[in-house]
Amino acid sequence: MPPMDSPRFISPAFDRRAWPMDGRLDCWKTPDGWPLRRYRLGPGDRGRMLVLGGRGDMIEKYLEVIQHWAGLGWAVTSFDWRGQGGSGRLTNDPLCGHIEHFGQWIADLNAFVADWRAAGSGPTVIVAHSMGGHLLLRALAEGMVPPDAAVTVAPMMGVHSAPLPRWLAAGIAEAMCALGFANRQAWTQKEESERQRRMRQKRLTHDPDRYADEIWWRDHGRDIALGPPSWRWVEQALASTRRMERKPGLERISVPLLILAAQEDQLVSTAAIRRTAARIPGARLHVYGREAAHEILRELDPVRLDALARIDSFLDEAAPR
């Protein structure tokens, strides 16, 4: 792995609250006509990269790493999942993160990837965070044509339900959906006080400045802001992660895969990530200690730059020019 002080990882200060001047923001329509907000940046002489965000994310949160990979020559593409970011909403509540079935996102991903693969040449790689990592691994396990290499960062292979046991959390979510609350927010997300903001920040990243960037983007584009998930999302997340753990499929994934995780992650289960890595032939796993929270690519620079170095070194080996 290149040393942390390699010139490769030293770049001019990047304005995380502005879109890069030479990128392209547009919409891509799914087969059923739903518009997904899409962003593209980079020359492509290194290859093509697709960056998938997590639940509640929007493209803006990842502009810094998109710029990093575009600077290395990748043609980077990212999009907002159906129902979040700039890709519309699925309920009348603009802050509710809802989906009726995770299979809808799998279908969107399969269609998007097929079109993305056909649009150019050279190595293809996918980097996916959290829920995006779960959806990528599920799609691959279900037969999606794989890229040349893949990276998942804190993939959602298990959901923290503490203090409730998983079976009870699943039962409550199923009951709330049956009672007609499927498209209602499953909980409140309070950020009015500094204490509340600090609590949420610490679950995501140790970097208060990068966390503040997310709040800034949400405040300056209310149409991209998203709050808690719906009860249906909770039911689907618990069901989909349980299905992947109990049924075969991961063993059939053959793409070179790097998995990054955080031992102290408070949102996804690191134990489930370890079990997932053990089932995928040849998967490489690196687990950070208490220096990292859930959003590894938006952490303080010692962690963030180390993660980028690991990813870039892996891609140089697994998806050479």
Side-chain angles (χ1 to χ4, degrees):
M1 184 182 73
M4 293 284 290
D5 58 353
S6 166
R8 179 177 188 176
F9 300 105
I10 298 175
S11 60
F14 177 73
D15 185 354
R16 298 191 299 267
R17 300 184 182 185
W19 293 92
M21 293 293 292
D22 48 352
R24 180 181 176 185
L25 185 67
D26 60 13
C27 282
W28 180 88
K29 287 195 175 181
T30 65
D32 67 352
W34 192 277
L36 301 182
R37 189 174 65 146
R38 175 179 62 176
Y39 182 67
R40 290 173 285 180
L41 180 71
D45 52 285
R46 173 63 182 89
R48 290 177 297 133
M49 175 184 291
L50 178 60
V51 175
L52 305 176
R55 195 214 75 80
D57 284 345
M58 63 283 202
I59 297 166
E60 288 87 336
K61 287 181 64 172
Y62 296 96
L63 290 176
E64 185 175 26
V65 292
I66 289 173
Q67 174 66 44
H68 165 81
W69 285 313
L72 295 181
W74 294 100
V76 187
T77 299
S78 188
F79 69 87
D80 288 333
W81 295 104
R82 180 188 297 240
Q84 64 181 49
S87 294
R89 295 294 179 268
L90 296 166
T91 75
N92 292 328
D93 180 354
L95 293 180
C96 183
H98 180 70
I99 194 74
E100 276 299 314
H101 196 282
F102 271 29
Q104 180 66 73
W105 279 331
I106 298 295
D108 289 349
L109 179 59
N110 278 320
F112 192 98
V113 168
D115 185 73
W116 168 72
R117 289 176 62 90
S121 58
T124 57
V125 303
I126 302 179
V127 180
H129 167 68
S130 193
M131 185 187 79
H134 169 84
L135 294 172
L136 172 62
L137 292 179
R138 176 172 159 180
L140 290 170
E142 293 176 357
M144 184 181 82
V145 176
D148 294 301
V151 178
T152 60
V153 183
M156 188 187 75
M157 304 311 295
V159 181
H160 275 307
S161 60
L164 300 178
R166 189 209 165 281
W167 65 266
L168 180 55
I172 292 173
E174 291 167 5
M176 294 299 286
C177 291
L179 289 170
F181 298 101
N183 62 358
R184 305 279 187 90
Q185 293 185 27
W187 56 76
T188 58
Q189 181 172 297
K190 296 181 179 179
E191 296 178 275
E192 288 81 11
S193 71
E194 180 63 24
R195 177 178 174 274
Q196 290 167 339
R197 287 189 292 270
R198 290 279 294 172
M199 288 176 61
R200 181 172 181 266
Q201 176 220 309
K202 288 181 178 179
R203 290 194 294 269
L204 297 176
T205 173
H206 293 88
D207 190 330
D209 293 333
R210 287 187 172 89
Y211 178 76
D213 294 333
E214 176 189 354
I215 304 303
W216 186 91
W217 280 109
R218 284 166 44 189
D219 288 345
H220 286 77
R222 297 305 297 173
D223 57 326
I224 64 172
L226 199 68
S230 68
W231 280 110
R232 179 69 74 195
W233 184 95
V234 174
E235 181 268 328
Q236 282 288 295
L238 291 167
S240 187
T241 52
R242 185 181 182 85
R243 169 184 171 180
M244 289 193 68
E245 182 142 30
R246 289 192 162 191
K247 294 189 175 183
L250 291 174
E251 296 81 1
R252 295 193 292 268
I253 295 177
S254 59
V255 61
L257 175 67
L258 172 66
I259 304 175
L260 302 181
Q263 184 59 44
E264 310 258 330
D265 200 316
Q266 297 181 47
L267 298 182
V268 303
S269 169
T270 306
I273 293 172
R274 290 185 185 274
R275 292 193 294 271
T276 297
R279 291 175 58 192
I280 299 175
R284 305 182 192 181
L285 172 65
H286 178 77
V287 179
Y288 290 95
R290 61 180 56 192
E291 71 274 13
H294 180 61
E295 293 184 343
I296 295 170
L297 295 180
R298 301 183 68 249
E299 261 294 355
L300 292 166
D301 277 348
V303 170
R304 187 182 69 89
L305 294 177
D306 182 77
L308 289 174
R310 290 177 186 277
I311 293 170
D312 294 338
S313 179
F314 169 75
L315 294 180
D316 285 346
E317 175 188 344
R321 296 173 188 272

